[in-house]
């Protein structure tokens, strides 16, 4: 078992949908609303680094609910106290990229916090 597989396998409560030595797809244990759950894709080029993305799914969910993800809100989300391992891009994609695989759990937690905040703080 590689370190990447080991780290992903120990994410508490997340459903691991796909997992190999370099890629993982995980599903959150909570709903964003109306049965929609956060889906994250994780890629590791080596045993040391990773990139995590939701591929804009949380932003699409927000748009589908006819909520407004504004530039101001994205800035506010990215400056939320305590969130430092993931961020929201201008297009609404939640991403994290680190050279330390040991930060994966924290990045997943921050991505989840950002997705929930995005959904519940977007004005109509």
């Amino acid at each position: 078992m590689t370190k990447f597989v080991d780290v992903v396998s120990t994410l508490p409560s997340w459903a691991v949908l796909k997992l190999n030595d370099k890629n993982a797809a995980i599903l959150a244990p909570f709903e964003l609303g109306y049965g929609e759950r956060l889906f994250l894709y994780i890629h590791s080029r080596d045993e040391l680094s990773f990139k995590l993305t939701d591929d804009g799914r949380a932003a699409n969910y927000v748009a589908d609910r006819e909520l407004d993800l504004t530039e101001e809100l994205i800035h506010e989300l990215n400056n939320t106290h305590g969130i430092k391992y993931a961020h929201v891009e201008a297009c609404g994609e939640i991403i994290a990229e680190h050279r330390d695989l040991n930060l994966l759990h924290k990045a997943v937690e921050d991505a989840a916090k950002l997705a929930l905040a995005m959904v519940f703080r977007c004005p109509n």
Side-chain angles (χ1 to χ4, degrees):
M1 183 179 323
T2 66
K3 183 175 180 180
F4 178 74
V5 170
D6 186 44
V7 171
V8 171
S9 297
T10 61
L11 286 166
S13 303
W14 287 73
V16 179
L17 304 177
K18 173 185 173 186
L19 181 60
N20 61 39
D21 290 348
K22 295 189 183 249
N23 300 292
I26 60 174
L27 191 62
F30 57 84
E31 289 185 6
L32 296 175
Y34 304 107
E36 187 72 26
R37 292 169 61 188
L38 179 63
F39 175 87
L40 298 174
Y41 176 75
I42 308 162
H43 173 72
S44 177
R45 281 179 252 124
D46 51 42
E47 285 291 309
L48 305 173
S49 64
F50 69 90
K51 181 177 181 180
L52 171 150
T53 179
D54 81 329
D55 283 333
R57 286 181 177 89
N60 287 338
Y61 176 70
V62 165
D64 288 346
R65 290 185 52 209
E66 298 181 3
L67 302 173
D68 294 322
L69 181 60
T70 63
E71 185 178 318
E72 181 181 327
L73 182 56
I74 290 172
H75 178 75
E76 188 179 315
L77 291 169
N78 286 332
N79 288 294
T80 301
H81 179 74
I83 296 180
K84 61 183 182 177
Y85 299 102
H87 68 277
V88 181
E89 292 282 299
C91 63
E93 178 183 14
I94 298 171
I95 66 167
E97 200 165 359
H98 296 282
R99 292 187 176 153
D100 184 354
L101 191 57
N102 294 316
L103 297 176
L104 180 62
H105 282 232
K106 291 179 180 186
V108 168
E109 288 174 11
D110 281 0
K113 291 174 192 175
L114 286 169
L116 287 168
M118 186 185 296
V119 169
F120 292 106
R121 290 170 65 188
C122 281
N124 289 11

